[in-house]
Amino acid sequence: MKFVCEGLVLSDAAITVSKACAARTTMPVLECIRMTAENDGVTLVAYDGELSICKKVKADVLEEGEICVNGRFFSDFIVKVSDMTVSVGTCEKGLEISYGDSRSFLQTLPASDFPKLKSEDGSDYFQVKQSAFKELIGRTVFCCATDESRPILKGCLLEAGEGKLRATALDGYRMATAECEAEGSGSLKLVCPARTLTEISRMLDDGEESLRVGVSKNMLSVTVDDTAVESRLYTGEFVNAEKIYPHEFATAVKVSKAELSESVERAIVLIRGDKNNLVLFEIKGDGILITANSEIGNVSETVKAELTGRELKIAMNGKYLLDALKVLDEETIVLSFNTPVSPFTLENENDKGNSCLILPVRTSA
């Protein structure tokens, strides 16, 4: 195998696909990028057993062939020569990379060791605007679990049907839901790994171009320009969000998103490092008294608010609150409560398509 390519083009492709290289594995080939040179280009593929990313770039192919090289080392190295034209080829030492008057070598593995990926188009799909899907992902995946105690919660539930796509993510302490317009082959319900959705989001722009997401058996596939992503889907029963989400509230508060965010951010400064990032809200009259205490000091601020219902004191994780505020986009938001130990919600004042739910922190007081 031998080809010549612009370093910037090759490094961009290597960085993109290396996101699917396994970090810790007993199979070294899963840490690799498989490069295949043929016709007028080079195809780079990485696969960690769950997620596969494939990208094709134009190159002057001098000798067709394929090889596997450690993805992290290759992408890190190619970035350092991205301002040059590089020549990449196989030799007795492994992979030879020539640039200017210099050359370097990386160890390789046979391409035959790389897992065979079975791609199936399938007839099931949903179709959304790229900007809408990117926004949907950004508003939900931050609530996906990161630990292995309940693997299915590391994914986001996607439900397509009746012209809508709805996403739900939760980690046991908080939940986020969002929806957007979509078309498709019918009613679909699947749980996609958060990591997969994050990588897809990085491929998307803010335009109005349409994106087709294919679903086949336990696989999801997306192609954007010259980059293709395939991912396994999680199996099992996802948590029923309807049973968690309260439909009636005893207390509702309208407040300026900007003022509330700024106040909570200041409170967070003094409790940084605290396990629960504990912030206390005392909702009464025409405001919210926000307090936070630590060994460093304390914060006590009042934010103007419009209260409907009962007064309330409630403690919460300040970081979770800030994460939720960041995905709401109206100037005025509504916080709804029942009791100091019941989940509470945050929503835009008008657009109810996106909401967040947070479990409060129990205190001894």
Side-chain angles (χ1 to χ4, degrees):
M1 181 192 76
K2 189 172 184 179
F3 65 87
V4 178
C5 183
E6 290 300 319
L8 184 60
V9 172
L10 187 58
S11 67
D12 175 67
I15 290 170
T16 298
V17 303
S18 65
K19 302 291 178 56
C21 290
R24 293 179 296 274
T25 177
T26 56
M27 295 177 62
V29 74
L30 294 185
E31 298 177 357
C32 292
I33 292 173
R34 186 187 70 197
M35 287 189 290
T36 304
E38 59 183 356
N39 300 325
D40 62 346
V42 177
T43 302
L44 291 80
V45 182
Y47 175 61
D48 64 1
E50 177 178 272
L51 172 67
S52 165
I53 302 179
C54 173
K55 187 174 180 69
K56 184 175 182 179
V57 297
K58 289 185 177 181
D60 183 9
V61 177
L62 306 178
E63 182 181 341
E64 293 188 346
E66 58 183 358
I67 198 70
C68 291
V69 63
N70 184 282
R72 181 168 63 86
F73 290 119
F74 179 74
S75 58
D76 287 351
F77 186 86
I78 291 297
V79 166
K80 304 302 181 184
V81 294
S82 60
D83 58 343
M84 308 180 197
T85 298
V86 297
S87 173
V88 180
T90 53
C91 63
E92 290 183 0
K93 292 184 178 181
L95 190 73
E96 179 182 340
I97 305 172
S98 301
Y99 44 97
D101 297 326
S102 305
R103 60 179 181 168
S104 299
F105 299 90
L106 288 174
Q107 291 184 347
T108 59
L109 291 174
S112 58
D113 290 351
F114 200 81
K116 300 292 184 183
L117 304 179
K118 296 180 180 180
S119 299
E120 297 183 28
D121 293 336
S123 57
D124 292 330
Y125 72 94
F126 60 84
Q127 196 160 304
V128 293
K129 291 180 180 179
Q130 287 195 23
S131 57
F133 195 44
K134 185 172 185 176
E135 190 172 86
L136 184 90
I137 293 169
R139 287 180 168 179
T140 51
V141 294
F142 70 94
C143 277
C144 290
T146 56
D147 60 68
E148 299 288 345
S149 59
R150 298 185 69 182
I152 198 167
L153 297 187
K154 294 176 67 178
C156 185
L157 175 66
L158 300 178
E159 297 173 285
E162 300 182 349
K164 295 285 186 181
L165 174 66
R166 183 175 178 83
T168 304
L170 62 111
D171 63 4
Y173 300 97
R174 53 184 175 167
M175 180 174 75
T177 61
E179 62 181 30
C180 65
E181 294 182 357
E183 300 175 352
S185 58
S187 179
L188 287 174
K189 187 175 181 179
L190 53 106
V191 182
C192 184
R195 178 165 159 257
T196 297
L197 292 174
T198 299
E199 293 306 326
I200 292 173
S201 178
R202 288 173 177 157
M203 296 162 51
L204 305 179
D205 57 33
D206 297 322
E208 298 299 297
E209 293 85 358
S210 182
L211 176 74
R212 180 187 171 105
V213 180
V215 181
S216 175
K217 295 182 180 179
N218 288 326
M219 296 294 293
L220 175 143
S221 60
V222 174
T223 300
V224 179
D225 298 328
D226 54 8
T227 305
V229 172
E230 287 187 294
S231 174
R232 294 187 183 278
L233 299 173
Y234 291 145
T235 57
E237 193 66 30
F238 199 80
V239 175
N240 188 339
E242 287 296 316
K243 292 183 178 180
I244 298 174
Y245 198 92
H247 296 286
E248 293 183 355
F249 298 95
T251 303
V253 184
K254 287 184 182 180
V255 62
S256 163
K257 174 192 165 183
E259 291 181 12
L260 182 61
S261 297
E262 290 168 3
S263 181
V264 175
E265 284 175 353
R266 287 190 288 268
I268 287 286
V269 171
L270 295 188
I271 55 175
R272 190 179 298 149
D274 179 65
K275 181 181 178 181
N276 293 317
N277 295 297
L278 195 63
V279 172
L280 181 67
F281 275 21
E282 186 173 352
I283 304 165
K284 60 181 180 180
D286 59 355
I288 304 173
L289 176 62
I290 301 172
T291 58
N293 298 283
S294 72
E295 294 179 356
I296 303 299
N298 62 78
V299 172
S300 179
E301 297 185 7
T302 299
V303 176
K304 290 183 179 179
E306 182 182 325
L307 169 64
T308 301
R310 298 199 299 260
E311 296 183 346
L312 180 76
K313 284 185 179 181
I314 188 168
M316 65 198 69
N317 185 308
K319 180 184 180 302
Y320 291 171
L321 183 65
L322 282 180
D323 287 344
L325 289 170
K326 288 175 183 176
V327 301
L328 299 176
D329 51 15
E330 291 185 7
E331 291 183 2
T332 301
I333 63 168
V334 179
L335 289 83
S336 302
F337 307 86
N338 277 313
T339 72
V341 295
S342 303
F344 66 93
T345 65
L346 297 89
E347 295 179 314
N348 290 313
E349 180 182 22
N350 300 308
D351 180 9
K352 303 300 184 180
N354 179 33
S355 67
C356 297
L357 177 145
I358 299 175
L359 195 66
V361 178
R362 293 175 181 265
T363 63
S364 56

